[in-house]
Amino acid sequence: MLKPLIILLTLALSACATQLGVRDKVDLRRQMFSQVVFAPDYDSRRTDFLGKWGGPLSIKLKDQTGRSIDKYKATVKQQTEVLEKITGLKLSLATENNPANVTILFDSLGGMQKLATSNTGTAAGAKASISKSGCHAEIDKHSNHRITAARIFVIVDPSAESVQLMNGTLNAEVEKEEQLRVTQCLVKSLIQILGFVNASDVITPSIFNDARNLSHPTSVDLKIIKALYNTSLKPGMPRKQALAVVDNLLQ
């Protein structure tokens, strides 16, 4: 009789441990979601209402020479296809009949700093952000907290391309590193403009962690992105209410 009781007790304890493990994971993901969507409690930038897109994103790429557009257009298209499947949003490259509400601008550091200085919408914090990371993303929101437009600024280094042409194989590595950096900027920024406006190191590795330069979101990142665009979460939903709903979406 004792042996069956021990077996039952062992199974019960194992089940409890499993439940606690699942709960811990959900709590961690919920904390991550809260930080990247609303910002941490101690952050003065924290918002108390949920912001997200409610309609399609039409993306236009701009640069001075057209070279960056040719080089990174496929990367942008690939990432939009991934995000389209996860969010249910329509993401496409702009055409003449499809005006843009998202602009991706490629330029040198000097050109980007000049833009940040002359454009009041871009100046706040953008200059420092661009200089530090090589990219910057910003969004516009309606009074109802629906995201209506976005801009992504990506530094491209024309010297990397010219050095490669001059010196051949040695500096092919320079060009490769530059392409990786720009690709990482584009992937991260396209996720940021969906409503993930803050960085967080709660979970690592993660595309939301500034210390980790990832080229694609992790499985947990995808779960968090998918949760934001669940139809049960509405633009303008109070933070406390939104986090209560998210609890069930991050299992």
Side-chain angles (χ1 to χ4, degrees):
M1 185 67 181
L2 185 59
K3 189 173 181 181
L5 283 174
I6 293 172
I7 293 171
L8 286 172
L9 183 60
T10 303
L11 289 172
L13 290 172
S14 176
C16 286
T18 301
Q19 295 260 339
L20 287 171
V22 170
R23 184 68 254 166
D24 286 346
K25 284 183 180 179
V26 173
D27 287 345
L28 202 62
R29 292 167 185 174
R30 182 178 181 272
Q31 185 185 354
M32 185 77 159
F33 182 95
S34 177
Q35 291 201 3
V36 295
V37 173
F38 297 103
D41 291 341
Y42 54 81
D43 196 322
S44 61
R45 297 168 302 168
R46 199 191 90 185
T47 57
D48 288 314
F49 299 94
L50 186 138
K52 61 187 282 189
W53 291 84
L57 283 71
S58 178
I59 303 166
K60 186 175 183 62
L61 281 64
K62 292 183 176 181
D63 78 346
Q64 298 293 329
T65 64
R67 290 176 187 167
S68 293
I69 294 176
D70 292 340
K71 190 180 291 185
Y72 298 109
K73 188 175 182 178
T75 300
V76 172
K77 193 170 187 307
Q78 183 181 37
Q79 181 65 2
T80 58
E81 288 170 355
V82 170
L83 295 175
E84 197 171 58
K85 289 177 183 176
I86 301 166
T87 63
L89 292 170
K90 176 68 178 173
L91 292 93
S92 60
L93 298 180
T95 63
E96 289 183 10
N97 299 322
N98 183 22
N101 51 15
V102 177
T103 304
I104 301 176
L105 178 65
F106 301 92
D107 205 341
S108 64
L109 177 59
M112 210 68 84
Q113 288 179 327
K114 188 183 295 184
L115 176 69
T117 303
S118 62
N119 187 327
T120 53
T122 306
K127 196 169 183 178
S129 175
I130 290 169
S131 299
K132 181 182 176 182
S133 64
C135 54
H136 173 72
E138 57 187 33
I139 57 175
D140 296 333
K141 286 192 283 189
H142 191 269
S143 58
N144 64 5
H145 301 280
R146 188 183 299 269
I147 302 174
T148 56
R151 292 164 296 282
I152 295 171
F153 305 89
V154 182
I155 299 297
V156 286
D157 184 4
S159 66
E161 188 172 300
S162 61
V163 168
Q164 182 196 11
L165 292 173
M166 289 168 56
N167 298 317
T169 307
L170 177 64
N171 286 286
E173 288 301 314
V174 175
E175 171 70 2
K176 186 177 179 181
E177 288 176 10
E178 170 74 355
Q179 284 188 308
L180 177 60
R181 182 191 63 79
V182 173
T183 297
Q184 289 170 341
C185 270
L186 288 169
V187 170
K188 188 166 187 174
S189 296
L190 283 165
I191 291 172
Q192 285 178 326
I193 64 168
L194 294 179
F196 301 98
V197 292
N198 308 296
S200 176
D201 60 358
V202 169
I203 296 175
T204 188
S206 169
I207 199 77
F208 302 116
N209 189 332
D210 275 347
R212 302 294 294 265
N213 296 317
L214 302 185
S215 300
H216 53 80
T218 66
S219 58
V220 173
D221 293 336
L222 294 176
K223 191 178 284 286
I224 290 171
I225 296 166
K226 188 175 182 179
L228 177 59
Y229 279 88
N230 187 283
T231 54
S232 58
L233 289 176
K234 310 293 183 186
M237 185 176 279
R239 176 176 177 269
K240 188 174 181 180
Q241 183 184 348
L243 292 179
V245 173
V246 161
D247 230 24
N248 296 319
L249 302 175
L250 295 175
Q251 300 287 344

